[in-house]
Amino acid sequence: MTTLTVRTERQSQLVDITRLVRDAVAGRSGSAVLVYVPHTTAGVTINEHADPMVARDFEMALERIVPEDWGWQHIEEGEENAPTHIRASFMGPSVLVPLTDDGTMALGTWQGIFFCEFDGPRERSVHVSVLA
């Protein structure tokens, strides 16, 4: 397993980590790569990475679908982050990408892997494992 470090700059931010994951699996053989986020207020997804505005649209859509000003029950002093848990669950904690015979990720032409921050800015971990 390789652990990547991702630093975010905003509370909600999708960060394209495709290159980081590609570098982590370079030269390794297996059937697939598992990308896993060990945080309850962050996630990972695959979507279009050719246009950076797609990531911004995701950020804005999730903020609108799961607003801050709802009557949240999960309220901890200094950690009023209930909506961030919901947003992270919508995105999910992991993605699985098949590897081709030459070890490259079998992503579609326009696909990229995004780390999804919902409680930033922070420094986060992303685990990358090549599966046999």
Side-chain angles (χ1 to χ4, degrees):
M1 179 177 79
T2 301
T3 300
L4 308 175
T5 300
V6 178
R7 287 183 176 84
T8 59
E9 300 168 354
R10 299 187 304 275
Q11 180 181 14
S12 290
Q13 182 179 5
L14 269 68
V15 178
D16 187 347
I17 60 169
T18 310
R19 182 187 50 78
L20 295 172
V21 174
R22 186 175 290 125
D23 291 348
V25 302
R28 308 208 24 221
S29 61
S31 62
V33 59
L34 174 67
V35 181
Y36 176 77
V37 175
H39 306 287
T40 61
T41 58
V44 64
T45 193
I46 295 174
N47 213 290
E48 179 185 331
H49 74 146
D51 181 355
M53 291 299 104
V54 172
R56 289 296 296 145
D57 287 342
F58 262 102
E59 295 165 14
M60 292 185 309
L62 287 166
E63 288 171 1
R64 187 168 184 175
I65 293 166
V66 186
E68 298 282 334
D69 61 352
W70 205 23
W72 300 105
Q73 301 299 304
H74 169 66
I75 302 170
E76 296 176 38
E77 187 71 30
E79 286 287 325
E80 295 82 11
N81 63 357
T84 66
H85 291 284
I86 307 303
R87 293 172 189 154
S89 288
F90 279 169
M91 300 312 277
S94 65
V95 295
L96 187 64
V97 181
L99 292 175
T100 63
D101 290 339
D102 67 0
T104 59
M105 292 189 295
L107 290 169
T109 302
W110 307 111
Q111 288 182 316
I113 303 169
F114 290 88
F115 172 80
C116 307
E117 173 68 77
F118 299 113
D119 200 19
R122 292 186 187 220
E123 183 173 289
R124 301 290 201 150
S125 297
V126 177
H127 300 310
V128 179
S129 293
V130 174
L131 306 178

